[in-house]
Amino acid sequence: MLLDQPRNPIVSCILSSASANGSRQRSALARGILHPTGNARLFRAHIQGQFMDKLIIEGGVPLTGVVHVSGSKNAALPILMGSILLDEPVTYTNVPDLRDIRTTFKLLELLGCPNAFENGQVTVTPGALSPEAPYELVKTMRASVLVLGPLLARLGEARVAMPGGCAIGARPVDLHLSALEKMGARFDLEDGYILGRCRKLNGAHIHFDFPTVGGTENLLMAAALADGETILENAAREPEVVDLARFLIACGARIEGHGTSVIRIQGVPRLGGCTYRIMPDRIEAGTLLAAAGITDGELLLTDCPFEELDAVIAKMRQMGMEIEPTADGVLARRSCALRGVDVTTQPFPGFPTDMQAQIMSLMCLSEGSGVISETIFENRFMHVQELVRMGADIRLSGHTAIIRGVQRLAGAPVMASDLRASASLVLAGLAAKG
Ligand code: EPZ
């Protein structure tokens, strides 16, 4: 099976290590495959000066062995942006080595926060801040919008390129802006940039129309240095939001209710440095659990965030997987032929949208059928047609996919549209014959 990024066709391939460019999830799967047994090779192809990744997978090999779960991409991104709030150096450990993380280091450097990254550890030294997050960086990483809250809180101004949409949806930031306006910020849109200004952010009572993860994170950071109390209602409860709150508290912030839908923040005059360990990545862990199931193998995951995976583990157990915490880590294997289940993606603690593509791959080879409803993003079924190219039986009806299990999948050249779709295609490739 050939999986390449949605750009020019591959002309030549250069073999590189499993941790080369491209998403860590694919690397983790490649590492998991390469480590004990398996035949996946991660290629990075150099086309007319454009780098892209290609995974060539010879499936049919049960994955067995031990895989260490890396630090969480979606916790590290907002926490690193939170460095802007501090007036002392801060050290982070268990930081995943990913393209988005390296982009964040470049953005922090540009904003006046020099940093040094080595062996999963980075120290950021906040200095004289600049208010501008340029389009060149923001267009490659939507999460750059998370500098908005910290810059307004520290500088009273921000000039952030509008984050574009992406393969899975329009990804607007209206909820971020309207909430910050309630705190006293004013915004204009000029030449594709969000221009934000405020004399000083004031505490406010904010109710989100939707429990937005990024919106909650931006407002947590903005409120940490605001005057007075901020209440966030209908706030996101994701573990990555909780990790950000814990980080801010370690720097001196006063926050209560994180992990629930009502968060209270008492603004403080300043935030100092600390040493903070990023939480393990629950989506990478969930993807590795799926890899054990789809290949009928057995994996032991170390540093696996078992408690943050309730909804995912419940569904995989319902499908026929055995997933048990042990003294050495979380052990995952198949106890019988997998069965189809019904899944509806929801905000945490519901089934995470970032695991929707991966459990779909698992369901493609299950007995019976299952239904997946995607309620978070408007266009997150881009992987379906690629799975069908490999022999899957999936029918779409609006935001619902009906998956009928088939006996086998066959290798084929497929195109990856986004990070999680890529992971689902790797999973399918691991199980495909050929
Ligand atoms: C975060 O995105 C994650 N990204 C996403 O992971 C994840 O899928 C998503 O949360 C949901 O869990 C990071 O943490 C970097 P949202 P975010 O604001 O913050 C709508 C991955 O693969 N919305 O909760 O952008 C939005 O369009 C990525 O790692 C508005 O309408 O998610 C979407 O339909 C993909 N207006 C829904 O809410 C807004 O102002 C969820 O968005 C904000 C959001």
Side-chain angles (χ1 to χ4, degrees):
M1 180 193 100
L2 226 46
L3 164 64
D4 43 355
Q5 295 294 350
R7 274 182 273 184
N8 308 329
I10 296 281
V11 173
S12 65
C13 287
I14 304 157
L15 181 58
S16 55
S17 77
S19 58
N21 216 349
S23 93
R24 193 208 42 254
Q25 272 195 318
R26 294 199 299 270
S27 307
L29 286 173
R31 191 174 64 242
I33 300 157
L34 290 177
H35 170 53
T37 58
N39 301 298
R41 300 185 302 282
L42 181 63
F43 285 80
R44 186 170 64 189
H46 185 172
I47 311 289
Q48 294 118 16
Q50 275 189 352
F51 278 88
M52 58 196 232
D53 300 329
K54 176 196 277 276
L55 272 171
I56 299 177
I57 298 169
E58 287 139 34
V61 177
L63 277 191
T64 57
V66 181
V67 186
H68 181 78
V69 179
S70 315
S72 163
K73 168 180 84 79
N74 288 353
L77 292 174
I79 288 172
L80 287 167
M81 310 289 188
S83 309
I84 294 167
L85 294 167
L86 314 182
D87 58 15
E88 287 174 348
V90 55
T91 297
Y92 303 104
T93 62
N94 201 35
V95 179
D97 189 353
L98 286 170
R99 210 169 7 211
D100 276 0
I101 297 292
R102 290 193 176 266
T103 301
T104 302
F105 294 150
K106 281 185 207 146
L107 179 56
L108 287 172
E109 195 88 32
L110 274 177
L111 293 173
C113 299
N115 49 82
F117 183 45
E118 194 174 350
N119 300 328
Q121 179 164 315
V122 60
T123 295
V124 181
T125 308
L129 290 174
S130 151
E132 176 155 338
Y135 175 66
E136 293 66 38
L137 281 182
V138 176
K139 73 179 176 185
T140 67
M141 184 182 68
R142 301 191 70 267
S144 310
V145 74
L146 293 172
V147 300
L148 208 48
L151 285 173
L152 288 171
R154 278 302 299 279
L155 273 184
E157 66 171 309
R159 190 169 189 279
V160 179
M162 270 296 273
C166 68
I168 63 178
R171 312 290 295 275
V173 291
D174 56 313
L175 301 178
H176 302 229
L177 302 184
S178 55
L180 288 165
E181 282 173 342
K182 288 198 178 72
M183 298 184 71
R186 289 292 165 263
F187 295 101
D188 295 305
L189 283 185
E190 194 180 277
D191 304 331
Y193 277 76
I194 301 170
L195 307 179
R197 286 194 185 294
C198 65
R199 192 186 51 73
K200 173 77 179 159
L201 289 176
N202 301 305
H205 191 154
I206 291 159
H207 187 286
F208 286 116
D209 291 346
F210 177 88
T212 159
V213 171
T216 302
E217 290 166 342
N218 241 331
L219 271 290
L220 263 178
M221 292 189 279
L225 290 179
D227 270 349
E229 178 184 54
T230 298
I231 299 172
L232 303 180
E233 294 218 37
N234 199 23
R237 300 171 53 188
E238 271 68 4
E240 294 76 20
V241 174
V242 173
D243 211 29
L244 172 62
R246 287 180 180 148
F247 159 69
L248 293 171
I249 291 167
C251 296
R254 294 175 54 199
I255 301 171
E256 294 173 349
H258 40 296
T260 75
S261 53
V262 181
I263 304 177
R264 291 173 182 274
I265 308 105
Q266 298 294 340
V268 293
R270 61 173 290 279
L271 291 173
C274 71
T275 295
Y276 194 78
R277 184 180 193 273
I278 303 295
M279 66 173 277
D281 192 311
R282 63 186 171 112
I283 305 302
E284 177 179 295
T287 305
L288 290 165
L289 295 175
I294 204 167
T295 63
D296 197 8
E298 181 172 298
L299 288 180
L300 180 74
L301 305 188
T302 55
D303 204 10
C304 176
F306 186 77
E307 289 72 28
E308 281 81 14
L309 278 164
D310 282 355
V312 173
I313 290 171
K315 282 297 172 187
M316 288 186 175
R317 284 173 170 165
Q318 202 182 325
M319 294 181 76
M321 284 192 66
E322 275 177 19
I323 301 170
E324 293 309 326
T326 72
D328 304 318
V330 174
L331 190 63
R333 57 183 166 221
R334 220 152 83 176
S335 58
C336 57
L338 294 179
R339 298 178 290 273
V341 291
D342 293 346
V343 170
T344 299
T345 62
Q346 299 283 356
F348 194 85
F351 191 94
T353 177
D354 289 353
M355 276 297 302
Q356 179 255 104
Q358 297 93 310
I359 202 153
M360 185 183 286
S361 292
L362 209 47
M363 286 163 61
C364 288
L365 288 169
S366 304
E367 290 179 352
S369 60
V371 179
I372 294 183
S373 302
E374 172 57 60
T375 70
I376 306 294
F377 289 106
E378 65 267 29
N379 188 35
R380 203 167 199 176
F381 283 144
M382 306 278 279
H383 44 287
V384 168
Q385 290 319 315
E386 301 308 304
L387 290 169
V388 168
R389 284 175 51 75
M390 297 177 68
D393 180 352
I394 308 171
R395 286 173 179 70
L396 286 182
S397 169
H399 293 295
T400 299
I402 298 129
I403 303 102
R404 287 190 178 81
V406 295
Q407 285 292 319
R408 61 194 289 275
L409 294 175
V414 289
M415 187 72 86
S417 53
D418 65 275
L419 173 58
R420 312 306 178 180
S422 304
S424 77
L425 296 174
V426 172
L427 291 171
L430 288 170
K433 300 294 178 274

